[in-house]
Structure formats: structure tokens, C-alpha cells
Amino acid sequence: MICGSVTAIYGGLQALAQIDIKRILAYSITSHMSTIAIILGLCIFCGMCADICPANTITVTREFELAAVELEDLKEEIVHEVSKCAICGKPFETIAQVKYVRDSQLITEKYVYVCPDCRSKRAAKLFAMKPGEIS
Amino acid sequence: VKLNEKIKRVKKSPWVFHLNSGSCNACDIEILDTLTPYFDAERLGVKLVASPRHADIILLTGPITRESLPKIIRALRAVPKPRIVVVIGSCAVGGGVWWDTYSTLGGFPKLQEILKQYEIELDKVVYVPGCPARPEAIIHGLLLPLGYIEQKVSRIVKIASQS
């Protein structure tokens, strides 16, 4: 638990460094953590993110008391844990998203926990097999 | 009792100067809206003045374009101390949609770096996001540096649960 929180903070800090470079609605994956950040100083309040959000977690409010003395106060971040590929062990997607896809789509567990690179490699191997051969 | 304490803090009427640094005029219209009888910022003593030499607060709108940069520097130098700047709109705060274009500086923090080179000190800067910022938000932003109210937003970092 403690170890987890430490890595969370570390991953968060790394992600913050990336946000400063991107300076925009940022989405970044580090080794353990992925961070989604909304920076109100760059947002134009169009509401498109709330429109396309499949989980309906982003909402647009009529809140207006957003004045801040420092730019850091206008940031809002969510840190997610990243799930690792079952074959190569590379981090590829957040655990929450993997679970969402597994529950909502017609996709087997064989495919869900494998990263896109390994999936394409496996598909290429299957195409290269001769008839009757078993992988 | 609380209201009386707040009224005691009001020492003078803040006069504002409206400084446009190449905005699309949406924020400017909202500033004019703030001064109309509907929102009535004049009940707080806010008055629009024509010269930066008379102003207590500068209302800065727009991403600072290259064309407007020398004029902005000259206007900010003319402001008497203490210099208070209220940065209005997403363009002025962080660049907004112009955050990496060639013809703008992309937000107020980069202007502040240039002002440091010219040795122009700003005593207080308040950022008001919004595209455009609503009149209520502008009034809130005007009263924040004067100490009438306290800041309501703060940085949020949430860690998602894995249930």
C-alpha cells in the first residue's frame, strides 16, 4: 500500500513534467501511472470532452468562481494505474479502461490483456502458419 | 457582522484600464457587460478610465500578439504602483487555442518573463479563465486581488480507485 502510493506520487510527478511540455489537455503514460489533466487556463469550455466521454465522468458546470492567483491552482489531475501486457510486460493502457472494454465489448480475455504490438505479432504468426499447424 | 467587516476593508474605488492585446473581442464585450447596469460593477467603485496612468487595475485580454507586445510593455510601464493585473480569458491565461502559434507569445507567463528583462514589476496577478470569462467571473477576479473575497479553486490531484 505504501509502496503503491509512493509510485503513484512518483508517476504523478513524472506526468506533471510532461504536462508542462505539452501544456494542453494532457494524457500521458509513464511506467506505472497514467495521468489525465484538465488545465482550466487552456480550456475553452466547449464541452466536447463531456460529449464524447463514454463513462459520463466529465461534466460541464456553470461554476464561475475560478479566479486564481497562481496558474498551478487551475490544474486538475486524475492518476490511473497502468495495466501491463501479458506477453511482453510493457505498460500499454490503464486498468480502468481495460476493465471497461472487457465488460462492454465482445472481446475475449485472450485479447484484452495483450498490448497492440503483441496482438499484431500474434496475428502475423497465425497468417504465416501452414494449414493444420497448431500454435 | 461578517458583512460589516468586509465593508470596512473597502478603502478606495478600484479604477480599471482595459488593455486589449489582440483578443477576439469576446472578453472585451464581457468586460463592457460587467460595467453595464445589469451586473453593475460601479456599485463596487469600479470605473473604466482612459489612461493607464489613472488606473489601479489593468484588465488584460487576448493572447499577447507580437504586434501588440511593445504597446503592452509601454502601457504597463505607465501604471503607477502597486501594479495589479487581472488576466481575463483563456487566451491571456495560458494561450488558449493560440498556445503554440508563431504570431503570439502564448499566454501571460511568457509576457512576465519579458517584463522581467525590462525591469517592470507586477505586484499582483490574478488569472480568470473562461472563453470568454463571464461577467460574474470578471467581478470575482476584480475583487480577489483587493482582498474582499478569498480564492475558491485549488489544485486537485485524484488517484483513481482500482475496484
Side-chain angles (χ1 to χ4, degrees), chain A residues 16 42-43 68 72-73 77 79, chain B residues 90 94 127 151 155-156 158 160:
Chain A
L16 291 189
L42 290 165
C43 180
E72 290 290 310
D73 293 334
E77 291 143 42
V79 182
Chain B
S90 288
Y127 299 98
Q151 188 179 320
R155 185 172 182 174
I156 301 168
K158 283 179 193 165

Side-chain angles (χ1 to χ4, degrees), chain A:
Chain A
M1 183 63 201
I2 295 163
C3 181
S5 64
V6 167
T7 51
I9 291 159
Y10 174 71
L13 288 175
Q14 275 205 329
L16 291 189
Q18 288 199 349
I19 287 161
D20 285 339
I21 296 162
K22 288 179 182 171
R23 289 173 48 78
I24 200 159
L25 189 72
Y27 179 65
S28 58
I29 290 185
T30 59
S31 59
H32 299 288
M33 296 292 146
S34 82
T35 304
I36 301 169
I38 290 173
I39 303 167
L40 292 177
L42 290 165
C43 180
I44 60 165
F45 301 90
C46 62
M48 289 286 264
C49 56
D51 267 3
I52 62 163
C53 180
N56 290 328
T57 50
I58 305 173
T59 50
V60 181
T61 63
R62 293 179 70 82
E63 212 172 296
F64 63 86
E65 290 158 324
L66 301 171
V69 178
E70 289 190 8
L71 275 178
E72 290 290 310
D73 293 334
L74 297 173
K75 284 180 185 172
E76 189 171 332
E77 291 143 42
I78 301 163
V79 182
H80 278 278
E81 209 171 317
V82 170
S83 115
K84 283 176 182 172
C85 175
I87 295 171
C88 64
K90 215 168 69 178
F92 70 104
E93 204 58 83
T94 60
I95 289 175
Q97 188 172 355
V98 168
K99 277 182 183 170
Y100 177 81
V101 170
R102 187 191 63 193
D103 295 342
S104 62
Q105 305 291 322
L106 289 170
I107 184 167
T108 58
E109 298 207 349
K110 197 179 166 190
Y111 287 95
V112 171
Y113 297 111
V114 181
C115 73
D117 287 350
C118 290
R119 250 182 257 168
S120 57
K121 273 180 198 167
R122 198 164 59 184
K125 268 184 194 170
L126 286 172
F127 276 119
M129 279 193 314
K130 288 167 190 170
E133 198 177 341
I134 300 162
S135 63

Side-chain angles (χ1 to χ4, degrees), chain B residues 70-90:
Chain B
K71 287 92 173 176
I72 296 282
I73 290 169
R74 242 185 285 165
L76 286 176
R77 189 182 274 147
V79 181
K81 285 190 175 181
R83 293 191 182 110
I84 300 172
V85 179
V86 177
V87 184
I88 291 168
S90 288

Side-chain angles (χ1 to χ4, degrees), chain B residues 97-140:
Chain B
V97 289
W98 317 107
W99 64 281
D100 65 342
T101 53
Y102 60 92
S103 57
T104 70
L105 289 190
F108 195 75
K110 286 179 187 168
L111 176 67
Q112 260 181 322
E113 286 171 18
I114 293 169
L115 290 178
K116 265 182 198 170
Q117 293 173 13
Y118 287 90
E119 293 177 352
I120 299 168
E121 288 172 17
L122 303 177
D123 294 293
K124 200 147 195 182
V125 180
V126 171
Y127 299 98
V128 183
C131 186
R134 307 171 77 194
E136 300 98 315
I138 294 171
I139 293 173
H140 186 265

